[in-house]
Amino acid sequence: LVINGRRQFKMERAEYWLDTIRARAPRSRVILVASECENTTPSWPLDKLKAGYGDLLQGDKWYFAVGCENREGIDELAAEIKDSAAKMDIMGMDWPVNCQKAEGKIRERAKSRAQVSRAELYSIFSNSNISESSFEMVAGQMATLGVITQFKDSVELGDFVVLNPQWLTKAISLVMEDKQLETDKGEIAHERMRSIWDKEYQGLYPAFHSCMKEFELCYDMEDLAGCLLPLRFGDSRPDIPWSNIVGAKERRVQYHLSVRPPKGIMSRFIVKTHYMIAKTKTMPKGVYWQNGVFLRAGDGEYTSEELCEFDEGERVISIRVRAAFPQNMIEQLHGFAKAVFDFFEGLKIERRYGC
């Protein structure tokens, strides 16, 4: 985890990234690096960081102050990274010569092409003397190692194989960081997405759009004119338009999270439930904000309404359901919530019910 050593240290930023790593990859070892320290010695609260994140900042050599201009601390850092890498569980596992050969060809191809078709990937395997019956297994192993990014179970992206994962991250960030999204509260027209990507990635709009949906970063609007990106929704909570449902009962459930989750936990939930988002005359695209959403399902006496919101400070996701039989919807929403939580391996969830 690299933080600029010249700038004022912000504990909340360091904690955010350490919490994110803890939630997503709880068994990781983190080395904290202060950069640009050629002529400075940062004053960081190392004891406090070690006390709060000892499970990640393991051992004695977990902090390095480095400077690239004069190589201050670089050799020591490199030696520690090599030593840590050598102790990883994956080290020492068999990796056949033909797989090494294929990996080398992929890395060489990635220098000139960031993406290939699955047929091209399998051609590399074939030319490396990997048997056809092992193609899928080897591709899976290479995806695990970060050599490639693939979407083998996706109908739209099954033939889209990325040889340079950073290339894909950069492409998606062009849309996610588009300044117009702040003004438009997370709404973006498909033509605007296309124009942003066509400047550097001509013709790849369909694939990148599908990748964003696969990563649960967006969902298409009903009129198909554009997308909505929950991470870029406004942060103001709107008035909630509860209906007067005859015979309705209310049930509540809360999910208390063990650590501060990464940004995006609520946006994933919104993407999963977007087809139920309630719409009104004043909010025709839906009643939502960055940390919450109001849902509606069914008709007449079978109508149910659900308010789902996330309190970042308390680390609590709350769900309120009003319906004649609210427990049915409570369990349906629990399925969506569990699918989100399962993505964050390090999150421990306590589920509490209320009246």
Side-chain angles (χ1 to χ4, degrees):
L1 175 58
V2 182
I3 300 176
N4 191 312
R6 289 185 183 178
R7 298 176 184 172
Q8 181 181 1
F9 182 80
K10 295 182 178 180
M11 188 68 176
E12 64 272 16
R13 291 301 297 162
E15 289 178 331
Y16 169 78
W17 286 112
L18 289 167
D19 283 340
T20 296
I21 294 168
R22 181 184 274 165
R24 192 72 179 88
R27 293 185 296 278
S28 299
R29 183 200 169 189
V30 176
I31 296 175
L32 189 61
V33 180
S35 65
E36 299 187 26
C37 295
E38 290 84 355
N39 301 304
T40 61
T41 302
S43 178
W44 289 6
L46 300 180
D47 290 344
K48 186 175 181 180
L49 287 165
K50 180 68 170 178
Y53 297 93
D55 55 319
L56 299 177
L57 305 172
Q58 301 167 15
D60 296 325
K61 297 180 180 180
W62 56 269
Y63 167 75
F64 293 83
V66 304
C68 292
E69 290 182 3
N70 59 6
R71 293 193 60 81
E72 172 72 28
I74 294 293
D75 293 339
E76 293 84 351
L77 173 61
E80 186 62 24
I81 292 174
K82 289 179 182 178
D83 184 64
S84 295
K87 296 175 182 176
M88 293 175 65
D89 292 342
I90 198 170
M91 293 300 179
M93 293 178 64
D94 291 337
W95 189 233
V97 172
N98 52 1
C99 292
Q100 294 180 36
K101 184 177 179 181
E103 181 182 351
K105 289 182 178 180
I106 289 171
R107 294 191 186 280
E108 187 63 31
R109 180 77 62 88
K111 294 177 181 178
S112 57
R113 290 188 61 190
Q115 176 267 325
V116 295
S117 68
R118 188 161 296 276
E120 289 174 286
L121 176 69
Y122 287 172
S123 176
I124 292 174
F125 289 171
S126 179
N127 292 334
S128 301
N129 298 318
I130 296 173
S131 64
E132 185 175 350
S133 61
S134 300
F135 284 177
E136 188 171 325
M137 179 193 69
V138 173
Q141 290 177 329
M142 289 191 173
T144 300
L145 291 170
V147 178
I148 65 171
T149 297
Q150 65 169 355
F151 308 89
K152 71 181 185 67
D153 297 323
S154 169
V155 174
E156 297 174 330
L157 294 169
D159 198 41
F160 186 76
V161 180
V162 178
L163 306 185
N164 181 355
Q166 289 300 318
W167 169 84
L168 179 59
T169 300
K170 179 185 175 184
I172 289 177
S173 70
L174 289 178
V175 167
M176 294 300 299
E177 297 172 5
D178 181 35
K179 293 182 178 179
Q180 188 65 34
L181 281 170
E182 185 174 354
T183 302
D184 294 340
K185 306 297 184 185
E187 180 182 340
I188 185 168
H190 287 301
E191 281 307 310
R192 179 166 179 78
M193 295 174 74
R194 187 190 301 274
S195 68
I196 290 172
W197 281 322
D198 276 353
K199 293 174 184 177
E200 297 184 43
Y201 307 94
Q202 183 73 34
L204 285 170
Y205 156 76
F208 289 161
H209 174 224
S210 295
C211 285
M212 288 187 65
K213 290 192 290 184
E214 188 74 20
F215 294 142
E216 297 184 324
L217 293 171
C218 72
Y219 60 90
D220 289 334
M221 294 189 291
E222 287 185 354
D223 60 8
L224 301 181
C227 285
L228 290 167
L229 285 64
L231 273 172
R232 301 300 305 275
F233 285 169
D235 55 11
S236 297
R237 183 183 189 271
D239 292 333
I240 305 302
W242 292 104
S243 302
N244 184 20
I245 304 172
V246 177
K249 305 178 187 69
E250 181 170 302
R251 292 290 183 271
R252 303 186 185 198
V253 63
Q254 290 185 334
Y255 297 92
H256 292 251
L257 313 184
S258 58
V259 298
R260 175 171 50 181
K263 203 171 184 64
I265 191 167
M266 197 63 200
S267 71
R268 284 180 172 273
F269 183 86
I270 292 172
V271 170
K272 288 183 181 297
T273 59
H274 74 271
Y275 65 94
M276 292 192 291
I277 294 178
K279 301 173 178 63
T280 67
K281 289 183 179 180
T282 56
M283 299 189 73
K285 294 183 176 68
V287 183
Y288 52 71
W289 66 105
Q290 197 171 95
N291 279 328
V293 64
F294 184 63
L295 310 174
R296 183 177 290 134
D299 297 302
E301 62 184 306
Y302 300 107
T303 299
S304 68
E305 294 180 337
E306 302 82 34
L307 175 62
C308 313
E309 50 190 334
F310 176 47
D311 185 325
E312 291 187 65
E314 297 296 325
R315 301 200 303 264
V316 173
I317 293 178
S318 301
I319 296 176
R320 293 169 59 188
V321 176
R322 293 182 183 177
F325 303 98
Q327 194 60 35
N328 295 339
M329 183 54 71
I330 284 283
E331 291 307 315
Q332 183 176 340
L333 294 178
H334 175 66
F336 290 122
K338 187 176 184 302
V340 172
F341 299 148
D342 286 348
F343 182 77
F344 301 101
E345 183 183 346
L347 277 184
K348 293 181 175 59
I349 310 299
E350 182 181 347
R351 187 183 182 190
R352 302 179 186 175
Y353 286 95
C355 297

